[in-house]
Structures are given as C-alpha cells and as structure tokens.
Amino acid sequence: MTLRGHILLAVTPLLLLLLCLGGAGAALLLQLGQRSDAILRENYDSVRAMAGLNEALERIDSSYQFALAGQERDAREAHRANWVLYREQLGVEERNVTIFPEEQHLVAELQDLTIRYQAQGEAFYAHPARDRQRDYFGERGLLHTFAEIKRVAAAIHDINEEEMHNASRKAQDTARMSVIGFAFGLALSVVLAVTAVLWLQRTILGPIQAVTEAATAIGAGQLHLVVPVRGQDEVGRLAQAFNVMTEKLRGYRQSNTERLLHARLTAQATIDSFPDPVIVIDLFGRVEFANPAAQSLLGVPPPKDGEPLAVWHPPESLRQHVEDALRQQRPVLTKAFDEAATFRVDGEDRTYLPQVRPTRSPEGETLGAAVVLNDVTRFRLLDRLKSDWVATVSHELKTPLTSVRLAVHVLLEEVVGPLEPKQLELLVEARENTERLLKLIEQLLALAKLEEGEERLSIRPVDPADLLRAAADDALSRAEDKRLAVVIDDTPGLPPIAVDSVRLGRALDNLLDNAITYTEVGGKVTLSAKLIDDGRVRLTVSDTGIGIPAESLPHVFDRFFRVPGRDQMPGTGLGLAIVREIVIAHHGDIVCESEPGRGTTFHITLPRWEEGA
Ligand code: ADP
C-alpha cells in the first residue's frame, strides 16, 4: 500500500466516527427541541386554558349567586362577560386535544356539560326570581353542573400536567442517554486516534526512521549497512534506492581502494628499483616511502601497513636541505662535489649529491618532500683521477715548455744571431702559442690544486676597498690600452672580510681580465663593495660589455666552457672555474647576472672577519 493509502486508512475511520457523532448530536438536539416544543404546544396551553376556564366558570357561578341576591343587573353583566372568557379557554382546549383518547373523552364531556350549563343559565335568567332557587340548587341544577364542569376541567388539567411531567422526564432521559452516547463516541474516537497514530508510526515513521538511521551511518562511511525494506510503498522504494546507491558506493570504494593500493604498490616498487636512496616524507617528517637503499644507508624506518608512520631524523649533512625544502618550499639541488655528503657504507666512504624537492598536490598544496641521494662516488673518483692526471701531465709539460719559451725569447732577442723576417714571424707565432700553452697549464695546475684543497689559504682580515683598489691597479694598463674607464664605487666603513688576499686578488684579476676583454673600446668597468642583510660583504665587478646570452649563463662557471661563437677571442674557458673554486674555498658564493649588449655583473659574497672564528 502507498503512504497516501496508509494515511487515508488511518484517518478515514476517525472521520467517519466524527461524522456519526456530529450527526447523532444534531439529531438529538433536534429531537430534544421538538419534544420541548410539543410539551409547550400540547400540554402547557391546555393547563393554562383549564385554569382560565375554571376562573371564568367561578365568575359565571358567582353571577348566579348575585342574581339570587337580587343584583340582577350586575349578575347578567358578569354572566355574559365571563361566558365569553369561558368559551375562549374552551376553544383553546378544543384545538389542543392530544392524541390521548382519555383527553378526547373529557373534552367531549366538557363540551356536553358546557351546553347543558349554558342552557341552564339561560333558563335561570328567563325564570322569575321565585323559581331561580330551584334552578340553582335543585337536583341536576346549575350548582351540580358547575361542580361537574369543575371536575372535568380539573381532570383535563391533571392529564396535561401529568403529560408535561412525562415529557420533561423523557427529555432528561434523552439528554442523559446523549451524554453517555457522546462520551462513548468520544472515548472511541480517542482510541481510534491513538490506534491510527500508533499504526502510522509503525507503518510510516518507523521505516522512515530506519532509512534515516541507515543513511546517516552510510554517510559516516559504514557502507556495509543495508537499509531494511518493508513493503513496496514510497518508503520501501526509498530504502531500495538507498541500497542500490550503497551497493554502487561499495563497488566504487572497492575499485578506488584497489586502484590506490595498486598505485601505492607501483610507487613503492618503482622507488625500490632505484639503486640510489629515495625517501618521501610528509610535512611532519614522517616517512611515506623509503626504498631499501635508503633504509640501509640512513636507517630510515620503512612504512608498515596498519602502523602509524615513523618520523625520520635526517643526518646533519641533510638536515638543512630537508628543512629548506619543507619550510621554504625551496628545492635543494646540489651539483658540485663540494656540496656532496659523505656516508660510510661497508667500511668505505661513499659520496652522494642530495636532491631535495618539496612535493605538492595538483592544487599546489605542500605534501612534504622527496629526498634522493645520487651516488656519485665513482664520478668523484674519476674526477680525482682526471685532476691528478691533468696535474701530472701539466706538471710534466710545464718544465720543457718553459725551456722552449726561454729558447724562443733568446732567439727573438737575436742573441745567437740575426733573424730573417720569415724566421722572426714564425718565432713570434711560436712565442704566442707557447705563452698560451703555459697559461693553460698554469690554470690547469691552479685548478687541480684548488679542487684537491691543496692550496692552503692564509685567511686574514682584509679591507674590501684595498682588495678592489689592488685589482683595479693591476688591470689599469690593459684598460687604458682599450680606453676603458675603471671605476671603484665602494661604500666607506665596511667591515674587514676573512680572505686570503693573494688568492682572492687572483679571482678579482680574472674577473677584471674578462670584463676588459669582453667590453668594447670606450666602455666602463665598475668595482664595488657593500654590506648585505645577512652581515656578509658583497664584492661586485660589472662592465658595460657584450654580455652573456641567457642560455650560456648557467654554464659560465663550468670548466672549459666558452660562450659559443666567440672563438676569435683569447681564452681557455678555465678562468671563471678557477674564480668559483677560490670563492668556494673562502666559504663564499658567486653569481653572474648579464644582459646581452648591456653588460655583465659578477657578485662575490664573502664572510666578514670575526675575531676567533
Ligand atoms: P675565458 O678564458 O674564455 O675567458 P672564462 O671561464 O673566464 O673563460 O669565461 C667563460 C666564458 O664566459 C668566456 O668564454 C666568455 O665568453 C664569457 N664571459 C666571461 N666573462 C665575461 C664578461 N665579463 N662579459 C662577457 N662574457 C664573459
């Protein structure tokens, strides 16, 4: 049955009962009204008529007595007037005879007696006074008829009075019965209403409540729940729809869970397959993924199913990188060996370049960080071998080459004899090539020493302005040759910096050398120094030269790198690599900014001198 059917079924009997009660009430009221009306109409009028008739009769009788006393005139007058009243009252009674045969008989008797009394009265007044005593007191005379009429009128009065009492009693009975009937009907209505409410509760509210509770539980994630289906009404269909929806949700969750599990397994298998240590942590440093290499190298606790994620405490060499990635959302991508971290594995030192990247959701929300340690032990070894080899070869080449240079110089000075123009030309070219080769060898040796950390620095407090001045003085003659302005733009009162003035001077010389080489005639080279926010001092060498294309900028500090298309310019591609090594040896850093056609700027940031540091 539908919900509408249920409601109709519950309400209809109640409505019918109320209709019956209303109908019965109206009928009873009507009946009571009619009965009261009948009492008034039939009986009360008769009672009053008999009282009136009795009074008129008494006065008619008095008129005979007046006549007997000789008051003829007043007697006749009273006789005539009271007969009128008498007839009026008799007429009321005649029209008001009830259905009772007894009253009909009495009225008929009263009519007969009235005719007789009237005839006797008329005879009384027609007779002379001496006969009147007999007419009045005689056997079956006026007095006798008077008494008879009084008796019959009293009987009619009593019958009607009795009937009034009966009718009143009946009305009271009816009212009592009505009250009982209504009370019963009311009680029945209450019982019916309570039954209807209980039934509706069981058939409608109960199932709705069950569906609501199940829906709430399903909403809270208990997808295994099934909503009970009772009947095929609207609530039943709703419950069925809910069950279908839950079934689909279950399937969806199942497939989602499987997909997630699969994705997790794939991710784990992927990072497990890397030989390099890989660790993925959340924002609080808890380990989400860690491959076996990470577990064995760093002792990272692997995530276990059903257990809360363990927090990873990175080793000292990685702590800052991980913090930077998590707090500042900054990737830390190390490239040079001097940024490498060394760990001892199976009794041997292994070198790793840490790569720490913050991880983000597609919406840009930070999830944590991924740490990859690139094992560069082999490359470092190769690099050392190469440096050693270069150093050895350079060293071996330097001595003979120095003698060649000396020989060429001696020949060119014509100490051993005059030279032909052609010989002179060849020897000049040989001197230039020898100079270039020697410079290259010196640079290679310097670089190898710096890379190996063999160059012992003698760190002293140095006034930055002095450094800039010395570098400018060294470059002055070359700059003048090219008609370049060399300007020193230092800030007075700078704190001393902690540097080896010879080594740093060499670095500044290299930068100035490049600035002069790559700046057109008439340009300007500026040297400056200033204190920066973190308390360090920044030395800047900038020029108004040809600049460096954007794509070459990241490589200018690489060894042997030269900007393509500038082969006619002198150079080895080692100058900036040496500068960088010198700056790193001073625990400083160097950056290059350039705009092709407008100039290039190098900033070297160095720590200030601190007593006892
Ligand atoms: P090089 O011996 O060739 O100068 P460097 O390592 O000193 O080698 O410089 C690498 C390259 O960077 C150079 O070949 C040059 O093209 C470019 N470079 C360096 N300094 C400047 C500068 N101040 N202006 C323009 N280009 C420069």
Side-chain angles (χ1 to χ4, degrees), residues 297 341-352 375-378 381:
L297 181 76
T342 308
F343 295 98
R344 205 154 179 80
V345 183
D346 300 332
E348 95 176 274
D349 280 342
R350 296 198 74 83
T351 309
Y352 295 90
D375 188 346
V376 290
T377 315
R378 230 169 78 82
L381 204 67

Side-chain angles (χ1 to χ4, degrees), residues 82 99 133 260 270 284 343 390 435 453 457 527 544 590 602:
N82 281 302
I99 45 162
Q133 287 284 348
L260 274 178
T270 308
F284 307 98
F343 295 98
V390 169
E435 291 291 344
L457 300 182
L527 292 153
T544 54
I590 179 164
F602 288 91

Side-chain angles (χ1 to χ4, degrees), residues 439 443 510-519 541-543 545-549 552 555-564 566 569-579 592 594 599-602:
K439 190 183 173 195
Q443 280 185 328
N510 271 349
L511 291 182
L512 272 171
D513 210 33
N514 280 345
I516 293 165
T517 307
Y518 299 108
T519 303
V541 178
S542 66
D543 60 55
I546 57 172
I548 300 167
S552 295
H555 308 290
V556 285
F557 295 108
D558 293 352
R559 276 168 283 173
F560 299 108
F561 176 80
R562 307 203 65 213
V563 172
R566 295 184 184 170
M569 301 275 201
T572 57
L574 285 174
L576 289 180
I578 291 173
V579 172
C592 173
S594 185
T600 306
T601 303
F602 288 91

